Amino acid sequence: MIAAQIQTAALATLMLAFVLVNANQGNEAPSWGKPPRWPPGGPHRKPNIIIFNADDMGWGDFSSYGHPTQEWGPVDDMAYEGMRFTNFYSASSLCSPSRAALMTGRLPIRIGVWGDGRVFWPNSVEGLPRYEVTIAEALKEVGYVTGLVGKWHLGVNAYSPSDGEHMPHHHGFDYVGTNLPLSNAWQCDEEHWHMKNGPFPLFCYLYKNATILQQPYSHYKMSEAFVNDATGFMRDAQQQRKPFFLYYGTAQTHADMFSSNEGFRGSSKRGRYGDNVREMAWTVGAIMDEVKRMEEDFNTLAIFTNDNGPLVQICNEGGDAGILKGGKMNYWEGGVRVPGIFRWPGHIKAGITTDVVASQMDIFPTLMTIVGGSVPDDRIIDGQDISSTLFKWLPEPQPEPTSKLLNRNHPGNEPRMLVWYCPDTTDPITVRYGSHKFHFVTQTVWTKEANFNEPGRCGDGGFPLQQNVQCSWCSLDQPEECVTQHDPPLMFNLDQDPNEAYPLDVSLPHHKAVLDEMMPKLQAFQASLIIPPPLMTPRDDAVWPCCDGSFPDCGCNYQYLGPVPPPGDASPSSKEFLDMMIDPENDNYIL
């Protein structure tokens, strides 16, 4: 009798479960705090997306990437709670070309983001071309609200009647919070740590939308402003019940060496640079905490990376590439290998470390796969969809990727090939091909030890006595002691020698076979390039930003430059000032 009652009750329970399951089929969205399934089996909410893009960080600057004394922080939490890439690359070793590539999924040289200036300056006439499609524009097409806070560095042109022709509000961003059009920390040093005669407001201004807020910005609470603008944008998007895309360009890590938040001064055993890493990471944590308060954590894909390697030339005040050679402005691993962290609870398995070779250019096509969007089909996209790598660790069956990730760890696939071009040349300088790296041109590396041992470079405890950016160019017309051409190229096995200390003998058959396999592919790749004119070359003082003094500490830059020159003509005072600023023997040298 009792057994029959139990059997009847069990059958009733199963029938009720069947009814409930069928009643819930076709729901448009899961609950706000509940992790939806991936891959999607039906209609689903598009995830919120946050890209944290730091500036001048070293591959080895975080505890989770091996730094022995940097304190654990929110970025390390992201790595612990998501997937950490150990072979993640920027497309350039300088800010503007790297950021342009991330935004478009295309090599900087395809976009025209190359030239004599190497980055966009306050007097750059051009910027990221308006005809290029950005991640923000593509996400808007599928229903996203888009916002930007922090560093932009893809052009301004304040003289333009369109009020900042190249600013982010012209590139798909609905909301533009407090932002830095560019970032030159040393020119903004009010406390005179590094500049006896600074600051030079000429390079130190903040924008909100297309309006200058304040200059100089060193005592402006940038961290708090960035966090307040970012979290406010996210809350507004939630009220609209729309998915949001936030591009958060964190300030130059060494930009806060005269620190914008006093609470972080002296907080790191690593010193001032460690303080700045902690402050930058705190902003990341504050934004992620807000995501959790909004109960959006399971529906938010967060990505952390940075634009290029560390500025090792400024001794102990810059970042650390860990085991890797080189840093910002060169194309050794330390200049282009960067942190890459992807976190999405319930979708990307926590605690995964992968050595798959990937690029920041992969972010664009990968996001389009995830949200059901599309990349432009009228141009070459250099990035690849890496969604199969992000989600392959989940227990459920995964869909076939829309494009294969070519990597040495996937038998049967060809090796992944990444090509780098120096911003002042159009010839390839470096190629990664599977496990191997080929250098056609190398730059002299100014290590911290060399800086310290050379009189006048680094003082007590690694304090920079002057900025050292010698040998930062890579065109062949540079001094012989700085730039060396290699034919055949230098070859390294990065699995065995990530420090690029031991070149392989390319005359040996097994090494030559790899070189012979790579070269035809590189030649075909070169043939696919249609190189636009160099957009970073044209500069004109007439486009330099200037504000009317209506905001605190905001004045007209032309008090330093003299009268506003007409387009195409630079005033003598402007030339004299710039000549002084680009003198490598002067401690006010611009980066």
Side-chain angles (χ1 to χ4, degrees), residues 85-105:
F85 281 76
T86 58
N87 283 286
F88 200 69
Y89 288 94
S90 63
S92 176
S93 67
L94 282 162
C95 309
S96 296
S98 165
R99 291 168 184 271
L102 187 155
M103 277 285 169
T104 63

Side-chain angles (χ1 to χ4, degrees), residues 436-448:
H436 294 89
K437 180 104 168 275
F438 297 89
H439 290 272
F440 295 90
V441 176
T442 54
Q443 300 154 274
T444 300
V445 175
W446 292 84
T447 65
K448 293 183 178 181

Side-chain angles (χ1 to χ4, degrees), residues 15-76:
M15 292 180 65
L16 177 60
F18 178 81
V19 170
L20 290 174
V21 166
N22 281 276
N24 281 317
Q25 285 184 351
N27 280 354
E28 290 298 314
S31 63
W32 286 84
K34 182 180 178 181
R37 291 171 59 83
W38 181 268
H44 66 289
R45 284 193 64 224
K46 294 180 174 65
N48 306 312
I49 298 165
I50 303 174
I51 297 177
F52 297 102
N53 192 15
D55 196 51
D56 291 5
M57 292 288 300
W59 182 84
D61 266 333
F62 292 110
S63 178
S64 54
Y65 274 85
H67 197 282
T69 58
Q70 183 66 53
E71 292 80 4
W72 187 276
V75 175
D76 303 297

